Amino acid sequence: MTGLTTHVLDTASGRPAEGLAIDLYRIEGEMRTKVKAVTTNADGRVDGGPMLIGESFVVGTYELIFHAGDYLRSRGINLIEPAFLDIIPIRFGISDVAAHYHVPLLLSPYGYSTYRGS
């Protein structure tokens, strides 16, 4: 499989992060172009397959913007304002369009981690 996928897990609750908004941008120099806006499903994944696939899956620099603060507030978590984590940007490069790029996010109100998954 090729393309770009993501998966968000709420490590504070031990569950997938359902209803978390994510924006995908392509970065070219100082230009930042929104490619897609999605929301995670009950499994913490994006419906409809990879966020980038086929002709839209090209070499370049990209940024996923995870709207963590909105998600956490919607779950009834009382965040101190301003929230420690509100918007989480993850900038990464795609160098091989024959490969699969998976960018998971492990999220809690005061920390997160990511890695290139499979």
Side-chain angles (χ1 to χ4, degrees):
M1 175 166 103
T2 65
L4 171 66
T5 57
T6 190
H7 185 202
V8 185
L9 297 174
D10 180 337
T11 58
S13 70
R15 297 190 173 123
E18 179 180 8
L20 191 144
I22 305 169
D23 297 321
L24 172 64
Y25 290 87
R26 180 169 166 79
I27 310 297
E28 296 177 273
E30 296 300 314
M31 294 286 295
R32 190 170 173 241
T33 305
K34 189 180 233 180
V35 176
K36 189 174 268 193
V38 297
T39 302
T40 56
N41 62 22
D43 193 36
R45 299 179 189 276
V46 175
D47 287 329
M51 295 177 73
L52 287 177
I53 195 165
E55 292 179 7
S56 66
F57 187 60
V58 297
V59 170
T61 301
Y62 294 86
E63 189 171 61
L64 286 167
I65 303 293
F66 295 88
H67 296 268
D70 291 343
Y71 163 78
L72 292 165
R73 287 181 198 94
S74 76
R75 297 299 177 252
I77 296 173
N78 187 16
L79 299 177
I80 296 170
E81 297 298 335
F84 181 71
L85 293 176
D86 191 12
I87 304 295
I88 299 173
I90 299 175
R91 191 171 286 194
F92 58 96
I94 292 174
S95 60
D96 180 2
V97 296
H100 177 215
Y101 287 77
H102 183 64
V103 183
L105 181 71
L106 305 176
L107 170 68
S108 76
Y110 293 97
Y112 70 92
S113 65
T114 190
Y115 53 94
R116 181 174 175 189
S118 58

